[in-house]
Amino acid sequence: MKNDEFRRHAHDLVDWMADYLEHVERYPVKPSLKPGDITRQLPGHPPMEGEPFASIFDDFREIIVPGMTHWQNPSFFAYFPANSSAPSILAEMLIATLAAQCMSWATSPAATELEERAMEWLREMIGLPAGFTGVIQDTASTATLCSILTAREARSDYTINSRGFTPEHRVTVYCSSEAHSSVEKAVKIAGIGKEHLRKIPVDAAYAMKPDALETAIRTDIAAGYSPLCVIAALGTTGSTAIDPLRAVGAICRTYGAWLHVDAAFAGTALVLPECRWMIEGIEEVDTFVFNPHKWMFTNFDCSAYFVRDTEALIRTFEILPEYLKTSEAERVNNYRDWGIQLGRRFRALKLWFVIRSYGVAGIQEKVRYHLALTQGLAEKIKAAGDFEIMAPVPLNTICFRYRPPHVMGEAELDRLNADLMERLNATGKLFLTHTKLGGHFTLRLVIAQTNVDARHVDEAWAMIQQLARP
Ligand SMILES: *Cc1c(COP(=O)(O)O)cnc(C)c1O
């Protein structure tokens, strides 16, 4: 493609992008498709000759777009959001254009130094103490794995990296029964073994019970294990339960366990001083992760990982083959040594664009608005006699179910709500997902999409009532 063609197609694409964003509500939030519906439309073999861009773009519009779930539709209430915003999309265009590898200072000095600055800004924005240093990872899953690996190395005097596990390394890891699946995945990858992951029971609010944590740790110590690491969730994926950081931290201090905080979704709420109660006890935390790519209007991927001990992180991951040696290594950050991957995208740019475009106050205003919309809807659900709130609503996820007045068995309620969710999502007017709480099928509605407003929430609630009631 010649540069003048590139220019023309790029302009066309930007027009399409702006139209898409303007009319995103016209698309069904979730397509109704059967597996294979898209594959069938794609040739089984690659074209031998190059094709004109116009026909590629036509197929994008005709085959791909109708097969997408529209995460940027404001009536997307499912999972946790993967928000974008105009400044973030613009930054992504520039990132793709520069297409730089940001693995070391020398491979793009501005990328490294902007990442340092952006992470300092972010640390200040969410109220983490000055002792934390940030680095951008691709996902929270990766950050949690980095944390467990760093704990493993720091607590074994870096011997597992060199010699592998030996019989004297009998370690255990702890999280609540509501913790994200990425914890178990990390424990498996780190060679600790999922049999050595203890899932601690939760209280009525689905938060980790500190006394149960302490009991589990003592039992393990008595059996000859060393408690390596505890992962506390600030905002579980099921119901945004907040583990009690202060109590968990005190236990970690007593038993010498590393403490990692997974605030993947809820961390964004810390931009609000009124939400900082969640990090009371942060003094005992070793590492902390949250995802600007969920709720902070920054395109996937952008996960902010904060660590207290950068030296332990770097000692765990650093590599220095001859071809990567540079003369200024002593004076700069080489982020390839701060995580798993060597090559890195220039993700700081989009964070910088987002923070500067909205300003801290603009981000706070949006987050506050989401929280207010959520409390408003939670009140309405509570007031409706035939619905039930299934968990506390500390932030902007509502767990609820339809529960008509005539007495029904739990199995029937599960079936009724699963069926309600299917029918709601089949309308294409909204998209929500479910979880299980206390063994019960629970609808989950997350009010956090970049452009969600009262109208979308009101329409969703009207639709839910209409389709639920016979
Ligand atoms: C979404 C989520 C994760 C995983 O996030 P990725 O960035 O996709 O790896 C981890 N923990 C919690 C609590 C989450 O909500």
Side-chain angles (χ1 to χ4, degrees):
M1 192 182 290
K2 297 208 175 64
N3 200 45
D4 59 332
E5 290 173 72
F6 169 75
R7 189 184 303 276
R8 190 160 41 80
H9 295 314
H11 281 291
D12 289 347
L13 248 61
V14 170
D15 281 336
W16 184 90
M17 289 156 66
D19 288 342
Y20 173 79
L21 294 174
E22 190 172 340
H23 301 301
V24 68
E25 293 184 42
R26 290 189 193 156
Y27 295 86
V29 191
K30 183 178 181 287
S32 31
L33 289 175
K34 289 181 297 303
D37 281 353
I38 304 298
T39 317
R40 206 171 307 116
Q41 301 176 67
L42 304 169
H45 301 283
M48 197 52 77
E49 308 297 334
E51 299 180 60
F53 186 75
S55 64
I56 303 172
F57 191 38
D58 281 348
D59 285 348
F60 166 76
R61 282 177 297 198
E62 281 155 34
I63 302 174
I64 304 302
V65 175
M68 294 302 291
T69 295
H70 296 281
W71 287 66
Q72 306 315 318
N73 187 315
S75 296
F76 182 99
F77 301 105
Y79 310 109
F80 283 137
N83 282 340
S84 74
S85 61
S88 172
I89 297 168
L90 294 173
E92 284 282 23
M93 290 163 69
L94 298 180
I95 294 166
T97 305
L98 295 171
Q101 272 293 354
C102 308
M103 53 203 177
S104 59
W105 182 87
T107 64
S108 274
T112 298
E113 295 187 16
L114 182 63
E115 181 161 338
E116 289 161 8
R117 197 52 108 205
M119 294 305 277
E120 286 163 15
W121 284 8
L122 209 52
R123 182 188 59 69
E124 180 181 305
M125 284 167 66
I126 64 171
L128 287 188
F132 281 100
T133 305
V135 55
I136 302 179
Q137 303 281 349
D138 53 5
T139 60
S141 302
T142 301
T144 295
L145 174 59
C146 287
S147 176
I148 291 175
L149 290 170
T150 309
R152 188 191 78 182
E153 290 312 303
R155 295 293 195 264
S156 72
D157 202 18
Y158 303 89
T159 59
I160 298 176
N161 260 355
S162 41
R163 280 181 272 159
F165 273 99
T166 54
E168 81 260 23
H169 292 118
R170 299 183 69 217
V171 300
T172 43
V173 175
Y174 306 81
C175 64
S176 91
S177 57
E178 291 289 313
H180 191 265
S181 54
S182 56
V183 174
E184 184 169 315
K185 200 187 247 185
V187 166
K188 290 198 288 188
I189 298 170
I192 291 164
K194 75 173 183 186
E195 285 180 13
H196 302 120
L197 174 64
R198 311 287 184 240
K199 295 192 178 168
I200 305 302
V202 292
D203 62 17
Y206 300 100
M208 184 190 283
K209 281 182 167 166
D211 52 342
L213 172 66
E214 183 157 24
T215 306
I217 288 178
R218 282 166 169 269
T219 308
D220 285 329
I221 291 173
Y225 289 102
S226 322
L228 175 68
C229 172
V230 177
I231 291 98
L234 298 189
T236 58
T237 312
S239 69
T240 60
I242 316 288
D243 288 341
L245 206 51
R246 188 171 291 292
V248 169
I251 294 167
C252 288
R253 178 163 20 102
T254 304
Y255 297 96
W258 180 274
L259 178 53
H260 173 59
V261 168
D262 176 4
F265 172 72
T268 294
L270 296 171
V271 296
L272 303 180
E274 64 267 32
C275 290
R276 302 253 170 94
W277 58 269
M278 294 194 292
I279 50 167
E280 273 171 30
I282 190 77
E283 310 80 60
E284 298 298 333
V285 172
D286 291 287
T287 56
F288 177 102
V289 65
F290 93 100
N291 287 345
H293 72 227
K294 275 182 168 161
W295 189 12
M296 206 184 264
F297 322 115
T298 306
N299 281 67
F300 188 88
D301 53 341
C302 184
S303 189
Y305 180 48
F306 291 94
V307 306
R308 239 183 240 287
D309 186 347
T310 50
E311 195 180 320
L313 176 70
I314 293 167
R315 274 189 77 183
T316 301
F317 291 104
E318 82 183 328
I319 39 140
L320 197 55
E322 190 57 36
Y323 51 80
L324 288 177
K325 286 187 182 154
T326 55
S327 54
E328 66 290 320
E330 295 301 308
R331 287 173 287 131
V332 297
N333 286 334
N334 288 318
Y335 283 129
R336 61 157 193 265
D337 293 332
W338 293 54
I340 294 165
Q341 56 191 127
L342 170 64
R344 304 174 81 248
R345 305 178 66 230
F346 187 5
R347 292 169 294 217
L349 193 72
K350 56 191 168 182
L351 200 53
W352 192 50
F353 274 35
V354 167
I355 296 171
R356 291 185 63 188
S357 295
Y358 282 92
V360 177
I363 293 173
Q364 288 173 325
E365 188 187 343
K366 256 194 182 304
V367 170
R368 232 179 231 127
Y369 181 55
H370 291 166
L371 295 177
L373 287 175
T374 308
Q375 290 310 322
L377 178 59
E379 289 308 318
K380 286 180 190 164
I381 295 176
K382 268 181 221 157
D386 50 354
F387 283 85
E388 180 180 22
I389 298 268
M390 301 293 282
V393 186
L395 297 166
N396 50 347
T397 298
I398 306 179
C399 292
F400 68 105
R401 66 176 175 177
Y402 179 52
R403 184 176 200 163
H406 45 280
V407 183
M408 281 196 179
E410 287 297 335
E412 199 179 349
L413 281 173
D414 283 358
R415 194 192 46 69
L416 195 69
N417 280 279
D419 174 67
L420 172 59
M421 184 177 81
E422 290 268 310
R423 288 185 294 121
L424 283 164
N425 292 341
T427 66
K429 300 257 189 263
L430 81 175
F431 181 27
L432 49 78
T433 48
H434 78 282
T435 188
K436 280 219 161 142
L437 290 177
H440 309 307
F441 188 96
T442 303
L443 299 169
R444 222 176 134 273
L445 195 145
V446 184
I447 302 179
Q449 212 286 323
T450 308
N451 296 309
V452 65
D453 68 26
R455 172 173 63 89
H456 306 105
V457 175
D458 290 346
E459 285 172 7
W461 176 226
M463 177 90 58
I464 290 166
Q465 294 173 90
Q466 188 195 331
L467 294 201
R469 291 170 185 151

